[in-house]
Amino acid sequence: SSEANWAALSWEAFERCNAQLPPQTARVFVMRELMGMETADICKELSISSTNCWVILYRARMTLRECLEAAWFTPEGRVRPVE
């Protein structure tokens, strides 16, 4: 179905952009946003402060957004045509 294709494309786009993040940044983002871990648990596991964790998450979100918009999607959320 087109919905399944959209989901697969979206996931592929995320994985490619996430792979471009620094390893620690990608790890923190995945732990928080995909695994649903609490900030305190992430900080304890990675030995970082909560302030550092929030800065890492902010940078991850901004970088992922830029990557996804530049390479995969328009700012309106439409898939970019293949050139």
Side-chain angles (χ1 to χ4, degrees), residues 1-41:
S1 76
S2 64
E3 193 171 305
N5 289 339
W6 171 252
L9 177 62
S10 297
W11 188 249
E12 178 185 349
F14 168 76
E15 286 182 330
R16 288 185 181 195
C17 289
N18 193 55
Q20 295 177 20
L21 294 174
Q24 175 91 334
T25 303
R27 187 175 306 115
V28 170
F29 183 84
V30 168
M31 291 170 84
R32 176 72 179 156
E33 302 300 339
L34 300 181
M35 298 171 65
M37 291 178 67
E38 295 294 326
T39 304
D41 296 329

